[in-house]
Amino acid sequence: MEDAEIKAVIETLLFISGESLSVNRIKNVLEDVDLSKIKSLFWELQHEYEMRSSGLRIVEIAGGFQIATRPEFAGWIKKLKKVKQSSKLSRPSLETLAIIAYKQPIVKAEIEDIRGVDSTGVIKGLLDKHLLKIIGRKDVPGRPILYATTREFLQYFGLREISDLPTLKEFTELMEEDESITTSEAQSITAIES
Amino acid sequence: MSYQVRLEVFEGPLDLLLHLIKKDELNIYDIPISTITQQYFEYIDLMKELNLDIAGEYILMAATLTHIKSKMLLPQEEKVGEEEETEDPRAELVRRLLEYRKFKEAAEDLCEREDIWRDVFYPKNEVSSEFEEEEVMLDVGIFDLIDAFKEIIQRMPDNKTSIDIIPEELTVRGRMSALIERLDVTGPEGLTLWALLEGDTTRRAIVVTFLALLELAKLHLIRLLQIEGDDTLRICRISSNDEAGEAEGGDADDKETD
């Protein structure tokens, strides 16, 4: 198959998939084409969309690629049809998600330690929205539940993977004074990297 | 008597303290503890006046502030022989405030992302139903099962309390073996939740089936699955030899996104 044809196939698959498509899933369809080829054609396709100022673009999101509209055209979409949009997340929800995103897997007590308030209800709401999932129990007394973010979380916030999040700001002044900060900071960095 | 007071909403005591520090441009590393304690109490009093429920966390922080304040008032004891520097009584509080502030900033970043990405739309997967698509089975958690049952119970015509005459044989244990027997016959594709509940006409019977399913799931004898894009829950039997492989399969699904 010629590159142009493969690219057209990829575009077709992107168009109908309805969810983010990973390079591996494309590979399952285009068996004879190797991964690096698929990847580079993805980039090419993405570039072509950009070049011709298309209303659509190809975004890298939730571990794959997806055709998406541009946020600046949202107004037109909403004029065409009523878009059912869920309400924005509350501040407690965002705070809790941020903590979990950077420190996952994490138990409720650790979240509450940072926030300084009870977080049971917030966590339940985020589980219902599938932005969080339970991934097991921590091997400590009481076997508390461990929480982590989901693929839907990445999709919702337009992230390719969790490491796309900006690194937490460092507080150098304090670190000189307090060793414990340095360790918690280091932990959060490894959590992001892993 | 009605009066309006502009009162910012705080997420908790740490949020309130950060607000007080920012408002007066205080140095977070050198908090004037008596000033801040006083302001904190003023805020608590205001909440009381407004008849707001004051969460326990606020009271705890009030106690902590008072404790720190009293410690600061005590003369520093020079401990002869001990090399360790006495820690600033505020250190722990400062550490918590900074830690909290980090995530508050991270939350703001997420909020900005939310604003942008809420306005991004994707082509819908409308074609998929026209294709004889290979069914992608998703592993379902306990909460999905609970949701499904909630729905079923709500949909039951007779929601009123009625006196059920329960035959003796309605036990969770009995239902468990009955379910296993049925699932063993049906093979790997399993049965839908609806099919399993067909014989259950009372709320009680549904609850017994529900408990039996939970117990079976806990014992890893069954698996709860959902076909992608469909809410119907399916229940399949896990045979003891493929259990390990299946469990790994579930993990691999997640990893694919990396």
Side-chain angles (χ1 to χ4, degrees):
Chain A
M1 257 200 288
E2 300 218 354
D3 280 7
E5 196 184 345
I6 302 172
K7 205 155 59 183
V9 173
I10 292 176
E11 189 179 15
T12 311
L13 296 177
L14 276 176
F15 177 73
I16 65 122
S17 97
E19 59 176 353
S20 154
L21 264 187
S22 68
V23 178
N24 284 322
R25 276 187 64 191
I26 299 277
K27 166 79 183 149
N28 289 342
V29 180
L30 289 164
E31 287 162 356
D32 302 332
V33 188
D34 55 88
L35 273 177
S36 58
K37 180 105 215 160
I38 294 173
K39 220 176 236 174
S40 73
L41 290 174
F42 257 128
W43 299 121
E44 257 180 54
L45 201 57
Q46 196 175 34
H47 186 65
E48 283 169 19
Y49 273 69
E50 295 297 328
M51 288 317 285
R52 63 184 162 89
S53 325
S54 166
L56 300 174
R57 58 179 180 159
I58 293 169
V59 292
E60 251 195 295
I61 196 167
F65 293 84
Q66 193 164 12
I67 292 188
T69 64
R70 293 177 182 277
E72 57 266 37
F73 296 143
W76 300 105
I77 297 171
K78 289 170 189 166
K79 217 171 161 182
L80 174 73
K81 56 197 287 184
K82 269 217 158 76
V83 184
K84 241 205 283 172
Q85 255 181 332
S86 52
S87 50
K88 290 191 65 185
L89 293 171
S90 65
R91 262 181 71 193
S93 296
L94 287 166
E95 236 176 65
T96 308
L97 273 178
I99 294 168
I100 296 170
Y102 283 99
K103 299 211 148 204
Q104 57 189 316
I106 185 172
V107 301
K108 195 179 76 158
E110 293 172 284
I111 300 166
E112 290 176 341
D113 228 31
I114 295 172
R115 295 191 62 221
V117 287
D118 178 77
S119 304
T120 318
V122 182
I123 291 175
K124 165 118 191 12
L126 291 170
L127 282 170
D128 285 345
K129 287 196 169 79
H130 299 284
L131 294 170
L132 286 187
K133 63 182 172 189
I134 292 171
I135 57 156
R137 285 175 181 277
K138 195 170 183 176
D139 217 1
V140 293
R143 313 237 313 125
I145 291 170
L146 282 165
Y147 297 97
T149 54
T150 58
R151 192 187 153 100
E152 284 89 339
F153 169 85
L154 296 175
Q155 185 88 41
Y156 188 82
F157 290 104
L159 295 162
R160 190 170 48 105
E161 49 194 53
I162 211 74
S163 59
D164 271 4
L165 286 171
T167 46
L168 289 172
K169 294 209 177 75
E170 286 171 34
F171 300 97
T172 39
E173 291 162 82
L174 192 86
M175 276 197 275
E176 287 157 17
E177 291 170 30
D178 193 338
E179 289 266 324
S180 67
I181 294 283
T182 327
T183 32
S184 73
E185 190 74 35
Q187 273 168 2
S188 62
I189 289 166
T190 37
I192 294 160
E193 279 168 356
S194 62
Chain B
M1 183 180 70
S2 78
Y3 54 94
Q4 284 197 322
V5 183
R6 255 185 62 83
L7 190 64
E8 281 193 66
V9 183
F10 297 102
E11 301 306 330
L14 291 171
D15 198 25
L16 170 57
L17 282 177
L18 281 180
H19 168 79
L20 295 174
I21 289 166
K22 202 174 153 196
K23 185 175 61 111
D24 289 350
E25 292 174 3
L26 301 175
N27 179 2
I28 198 164
Y29 303 101
D30 186 20
I31 304 168
I33 205 80
S34 73
T35 323
I36 208 134
T37 306
Q38 192 198 337
Q39 289 185 352
Y40 186 87
F41 275 92
E42 277 169 16
Y43 185 85
I44 299 274
D45 286 342
L46 184 60
M47 285 207 284
K48 272 187 201 153
E49 240 172 82
L50 293 169
N51 272 326
L52 293 177
D53 277 338
I54 299 168
E57 293 99 0
Y58 283 96
I59 309 292
L60 179 65
M61 180 56 77
T64 310
L65 287 171
T66 316
H67 183 66
I68 295 172
K69 191 176 158 189
S70 63
K71 263 189 169 174
M72 304 273 292
L73 290 172
L74 290 174
Q76 297 269 332
E77 267 182 69
E78 293 289 334
K79 281 183 189 163
V80 194
E82 276 182 49
E83 289 296 301
E84 268 181 65
E85 272 180 67
T86 42
E87 201 188 22
D88 189 322
R90 298 169 297 182
E92 170 62 15
L93 180 64
V94 172
R95 191 196 62 77
R96 287 189 63 195
L97 283 171
L98 288 172
E99 178 87 346
Y100 176 69
R101 192 173 71 178
K102 258 194 317 199
F103 289 104
K104 216 179 118 140
E105 282 165 9
E108 273 159 31
D109 179 70
L110 285 183
C111 186
E112 282 166 28
R113 289 190 154 272
E114 185 187 30
D115 275 338
I116 296 169
W117 288 89
R118 270 162 66 83
D119 279 342
V120 173
F121 300 89
Y122 308 94
K124 267 199 251 154
N125 191 7
E126 276 163 5
V127 247
S128 68
S129 54
E130 292 169 23
F131 291 127
E132 280 282 321
E133 202 185 3
E134 218 184 304
E135 287 175 349
V136 184
M137 294 294 224
L138 303 170
D139 267 303
V140 188
I142 271 330
F143 292 107
D144 297 277
L145 185 65
I146 294 173
D147 281 346
F149 267 93
K150 215 168 81 189
E151 207 180 300
I152 287 162
I153 293 210
Q154 274 165 0
R155 269 201 237 160
M156 280 194 62
D158 183 21
N159 229 345
K160 282 170 266 166
T161 20
S162 58
I163 302 159
D164 294 337
I165 299 161
I166 308 300
E168 276 296 307
E169 63 266 28
L170 195 61
T171 61
V172 175
R173 188 171 291 275
R175 186 54 57 93
M176 280 167 69
S177 38
L179 287 172
I180 283 293
E181 270 172 41
R182 274 186 78 184
L183 290 169
D184 275 340
V185 191
T186 46
E189 75 275 16
L191 283 169
T192 64
L193 186 60
W194 286 105
L196 277 180
L197 286 167
E198 234 166 76
D200 297 334
T201 47
T202 62
R203 213 185 156 96
R204 184 98 180 236
I206 289 177
V207 171
V208 170
T209 303
F210 175 51
L211 291 175
L213 284 174
L214 281 181
E215 195 63 32
L216 288 171
K218 194 177 123 195
L219 296 169
H220 291 285
L221 291 169
I222 57 163
R223 219 172 141 194
L224 308 169
L225 292 168
Q226 205 165 25
I227 297 161
E228 210 175 359
D230 184 3
D231 304 331
T232 318
L233 279 180
R234 283 185 165 269
I235 290 101
C236 333
R237 181 87 164 86
I238 299 176
S239 50
S240 46
N241 50 358
D242 68 18
E243 189 187 332
E246 293 289 345
E248 274 168 29
D251 286 342
D253 256 352
D254 288 342
K255 270 169 199 143
E256 192 208 8
T257 59
D258 291 345

